[in-house]
């Protein structure tokens, strides 16, 4: 048997310890159909400003203003992964794509659907005051499923097979995850002058996540099995017995050092035997609540309107409810299996993330938005905006190396008639993220987005909105030999909304 890399073996059983999210670590900014039509809404005056420009809502006429929005989002995440040439040993996927340099790639695709993403904005204006409230899915917002699991899973299983002298392997694995941050806001704006308003309020986030996953049915084939496919647990049981026999023989001969080395291998093989026999079945629910203030200002200068908003960081701690598996025992097994190796012990400790009752840090970043809108004519308006997410100030379980994110928005809006309005916009998102923080379980790729749509004034008090919003992501390749990952995503959103004035 070849000498096994125990840090890598430990990682094989740790694949489920990483985070799979239906959204990402950023706050969702698409909180209205008006935003889908034109993402440069940071200085626009409208009921959707309850989220984008709350100070500007004070300039709407007196009375009630309501906005009801429905969005349908579809996203894919695609990772092409190679673990050197080892994926060619996969008995279930023999027709792997082979590159000229000998790397063998497999595609792993996750599909995330959010059929219903609702949001509600409401404001009551009286005198110089505007009292506002809103509800939205401010983070996450759907389910993501990888039917064939992830390349990080297969890579370590392939390495186990290779290091064990095998020429084939197979296993069952999949991951499913969903995450929702439900956001509630309350606040008030005040018109200091006829051209200047200020806002202060608070937002409450309720976080809910559920993760399900399986790594099971690991099978091996090689010369030592007579080229027969056998359960991995049987293979490790046999290896444990071989090391145990060797240990006893060394002890009988008084060869203390050799006996101690054999005893360590008995422990390692026993841990692998137990883990591969039971597999890992994850079913963890997480919940938590966080509260933070946010403030805003709007300044009208004739045909030019300027606005700014700052959302403070929301401290969020999600508590695990995972009574279905004793992760503490699994951590103990993996720590013992690492036999004092620092890397293996650190990887084993990562499973603490899912231990029942543990609280996990998942802060929502602070956000600064700046916007400008200029009226070229009574019918035509142009806008621009800037978003800065303070990601590096957040405490997240796997987010310490994140850089801040910047977004640049541009848009235009035109009244075709007194009742029909069209708009379109563009958004560029730039992530400042180190390669070391990219994984097939959680990654972000810089992108550009376009949106367009129309609004129709059905009656004096009712306006209908419809929009399409699409994000086009770049492709990023990260090489950490022998692993090569190429990441990309897709995202499409349809939206319908209704604004009501009473």
């Amino acid at each position: 048997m070849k000498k096994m890399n125990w840090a890598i073996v430990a990682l094989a059983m740790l694949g489920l310890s990483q985070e799979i999210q239906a959204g990402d670590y950023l706050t969702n900014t698409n909180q209205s159909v008006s935003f889908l039509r034109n993402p440069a809404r940071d200085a626009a005056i409208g009921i959707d400003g309850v989220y984008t420009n709350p100070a500007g809502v004070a300039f709407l006429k007196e009375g009630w203003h309501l906005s009801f929005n429905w969005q349908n989002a579809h996203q894919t995440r695609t990772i092409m992964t190679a673990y050197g040439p080892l994926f060619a040993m996969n008995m279930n996927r023999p027709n792997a794509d082979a590159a000229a340099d000998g790397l063998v790639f497999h595609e792993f695709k996750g599909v995330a659907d959010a059929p219903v993403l609702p949001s509600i904005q409401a404001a009551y204006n009286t005198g110089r005051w505007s009292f506002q409230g809103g509800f939205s899915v401010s983070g996450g917002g759907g389910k993501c499923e990888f039917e064939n699991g992830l390349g990080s899973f297969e890579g370590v299983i392939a390495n186990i097979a290779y290091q064990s002298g095998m020429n084939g392997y197979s296993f069952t694995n999949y991951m499913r995850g969903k995450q929702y941050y439900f956001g509630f806001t309350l606040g008030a704006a005040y018109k200091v002058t006829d051209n200047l308003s200020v806002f202060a309020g608070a937002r409450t986030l309720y976080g809910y996540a559920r993760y399900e996953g399986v790594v099971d049915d690991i099978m091996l084939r090689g010369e030592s099995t007579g080229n027969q496919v056998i359960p991995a647990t049987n293979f490790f049981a046999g290896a444990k017995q071989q090391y145990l026999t060797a240990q006893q023989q060394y002890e009988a001969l008084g060869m203390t050092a050799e006996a101690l080395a054999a005893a360590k291998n008995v422990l390692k093989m026993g841990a692998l035997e137990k883990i591969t026999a039971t597999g890992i079945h994850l079913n963890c629910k997480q919940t938590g609540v966080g509260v933070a203030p946010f403030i805003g200002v709007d300044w009208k200068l004739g045909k030019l309107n300027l606005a700014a908003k700052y959302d403070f960081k929301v401290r969020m701690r999600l508590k695990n409810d995972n009574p279905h598996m004793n992760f503490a025992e699994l951590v103990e097994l993996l720590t013992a299996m690492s036999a004092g190796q620092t890397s293996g012990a650190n990887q084993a400790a990562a499973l603490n993330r899912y231990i029942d009752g543990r609280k996990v840090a998942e802060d929502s970043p602070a956000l600064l938005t700046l916007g400008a809108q200029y009226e070229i004519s009574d019918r035509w308006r142009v806008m621009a905006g800037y978003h800065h997410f303070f990601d590096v100030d957040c405490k997240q379980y796997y987010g310490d190396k994140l850089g801040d994110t910047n977004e640049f928005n541009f848009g235009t809006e035109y009244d075709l008639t007194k009742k029909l309005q069209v708009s379109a916009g563009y958004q560029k998102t730039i992530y400042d993220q180190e390669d070391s923080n990219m994984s097939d379980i959680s990654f972000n790729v810089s992108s550009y987005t376009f949106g367009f749509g129309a609004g129709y004034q059905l009656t004096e008090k009712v306006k209908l909105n419809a929009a399409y919003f699409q994000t086009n992501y770049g492709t990023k390749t990260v090489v950490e030999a022998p692993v090569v990952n190429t990441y990309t995503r897709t995202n499409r959103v349809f939206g319908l909304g209704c604004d009501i004035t009473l």
Side-chain angles (χ1 to χ4, degrees):
M1 180 186 299
K2 297 182 180 181
K3 183 178 180 181
M4 301 191 69
N5 183 333
W6 295 108
I8 295 296
V9 173
L11 182 59
M13 303 306 151
L14 288 169
L16 294 173
S17 73
Q18 305 297 317
E19 180 177 10
I20 224 176
Q21 298 188 7
D24 56 26
Y25 62 87
L26 295 180
T27 303
N28 291 343
T29 54
N30 53 311
Q31 298 305 330
S32 69
V33 178
S34 294
F35 178 91
L36 299 183
R37 288 171 46 189
N38 170 18
R41 296 286 297 175
D42 302 293
I45 304 296
I47 182 57
D48 61 299
V50 169
Y51 178 79
T52 55
N53 179 21
V57 177
F59 292 112
L60 296 178
K61 67 180 183 180
E62 290 199 355
W64 282 98
H65 302 269
L66 305 170
S67 181
F68 302 92
N69 301 272
W70 166 85
Q71 299 179 44
N72 178 292
H74 175 81
Q75 184 181 95
T76 64
R77 307 179 187 188
T78 303
I79 311 105
M80 295 296 295
T81 301
Y83 197 112
L86 300 190
F87 281 1
M89 294 191 298
N90 189 325
M91 294 180 288
N92 292 335
R93 302 177 69 179
N95 298 320
D97 295 331
D101 55 6
L103 297 177
V104 177
F105 287 87
H106 282 168
E107 180 184 78
F108 300 89
K109 188 173 184 178
V111 177
D113 282 305
V116 179
L117 278 176
S119 65
I120 301 172
Q121 290 92 34
Y124 178 70
N125 287 7
T126 177
R128 292 188 173 276
W129 288 95
S130 174
F131 300 98
Q132 305 170 27
F135 164 79
S136 64
V137 181
S138 58
K143 303 176 182 179
C144 188
E145 179 172 355
F146 288 83
E147 290 186 354
N148 294 319
L150 295 165
S152 56
F153 294 11
E154 181 170 353
V156 291
I157 298 298
N159 190 69
I160 289 176
Y162 174 74
Q163 298 287 351
S164 303
M166 301 291 109
N167 57 35
Y169 65 87
S170 66
F171 66 105
T172 298
N173 89 94
Y174 68 84
M175 281 295 295
R176 298 179 187 136
K178 59 183 176 182
Q179 183 187 61
Y180 296 90
Y181 272 23
F182 298 105
F184 304 86
T185 63
L186 285 174
Y190 180 76
K191 288 192 290 186
V192 180
T193 70
D194 290 341
N195 298 312
L196 178 66
S197 66
V198 293
F199 172 89
R203 57 175 177 148
T204 299
L205 297 184
Y206 171 75
Y208 171 86
R210 192 176 196 102
Y211 306 106
E212 300 173 87
V214 167
V215 176
D216 209 348
D217 301 326
I218 303 172
M219 309 292 287
L220 299 175
R221 181 192 66 196
E223 291 184 6
S224 60
T225 68
N227 281 322
Q228 299 296 312
V229 179
I230 67 170
T233 186
N234 293 355
F235 174 80
F236 292 119
K240 181 182 70 174
Q241 186 58 47
Q242 292 177 14
Y243 282 119
L244 181 60
T245 300
Q247 176 191 352
Q248 294 169 346
Q249 292 174 346
Y250 289 137
E251 289 174 344
L253 295 173
M255 301 172 67
T256 305
E258 291 80 358
L260 180 60
K264 290 181 178 180
N265 283 325
V266 170
L267 184 62
K268 295 170 184 177
M269 293 298 174
L272 280 171
E273 176 193 7
K274 183 171 184 178
I275 293 172
T276 55
T278 60
I280 300 178
H281 299 264
L282 175 67
N283 188 355
C284 182
K285 181 176 71 173
Q286 298 177 326
T287 56
V289 177
V291 181
F294 67 115
I295 56 177
V297 60
D298 188 282
W299 188 19
K300 298 173 68 68
L301 296 169
K303 294 184 177 182
L304 176 65
N305 192 63
L306 302 175
K309 178 172 70 80
Y310 184 79
D311 297 350
F312 289 80
K313 178 183 73 175
V314 177
R315 182 184 184 275
M316 179 71 75
R317 298 295 181 267
L318 299 178
K319 185 176 181 180
N320 291 339
D321 180 7
N322 185 24
H324 305 291
M325 182 173 181
N326 188 350
F327 273 87
E329 180 184 2
L330 184 58
V331 170
E332 183 180 348
L333 282 171
L334 292 173
T335 303
M337 187 177 68
S338 69
Q341 295 183 20
T342 301
S343 59
N346 289 341
Q347 291 164 346
L351 269 183
N352 285 324
R353 187 193 196 288
Y354 291 114
I355 290 179
D356 187 39
R358 181 174 294 277
K359 291 185 177 181
V360 180
E362 288 293 346
D363 293 344
S364 180
L367 168 62
L368 172 67
T369 69
L370 304 173
Q373 174 177 287
Y374 184 76
E375 296 181 7
I376 295 177
S377 69
D378 292 341
R379 289 189 170 189
W380 190 11
R381 294 162 293 281
V382 292
M383 306 91 161
Y386 168 70
H387 302 163
H388 184 88
F389 295 88
F390 294 86
D391 299 307
V392 294
D393 295 331
C394 285
K395 183 174 179 57
Q396 296 183 339
Y397 202 84
Y398 293 109
D400 290 343
K401 296 182 179 179
L402 295 177
D404 287 344
T405 300
N406 294 286
E407 290 182 335
F408 303 89
N409 302 328
F410 305 93
T412 185
E413 189 174 68
Y414 188 78
D415 299 331
L416 290 175
T417 68
K418 290 183 178 180
K419 290 191 174 184
L420 181 60
Q421 179 186 82
V422 294
S423 59
Y426 171 89
Q427 176 174 278
K428 176 65 176 178
T429 302
I430 302 173
Y431 294 101
D432 182 14
Q433 186 167 322
E434 296 183 16
D435 287 355
S436 60
N437 200 59
M438 297 277 285
S439 73
D440 54 5
I441 299 173
S442 179
F443 68 88
N444 288 279
V445 185
S446 295
S447 63
Y448 70 90
T449 300
F450 65 86
F452 59 87
Y456 184 75
Q457 198 71 41
L458 187 64
T459 69
E460 183 181 351
K461 296 183 177 181
V462 178
K463 180 181 179 181
L464 303 179
N465 294 293
Y468 175 75
F469 186 83
Q470 178 174 315
T471 302
N472 298 299
Y473 293 86
T475 299
K476 185 174 179 63
T477 297
V478 178
V479 180
E480 294 180 338
V483 179
V484 179
N485 282 308
T486 298
Y487 305 98
T488 192
R489 303 167 73 152
T490 67
N491 185 58
R492 299 188 302 274
V493 184
F494 296 91
L496 295 174
C498 179
D499 297 342
I500 301 174
T501 300
L502 300 176

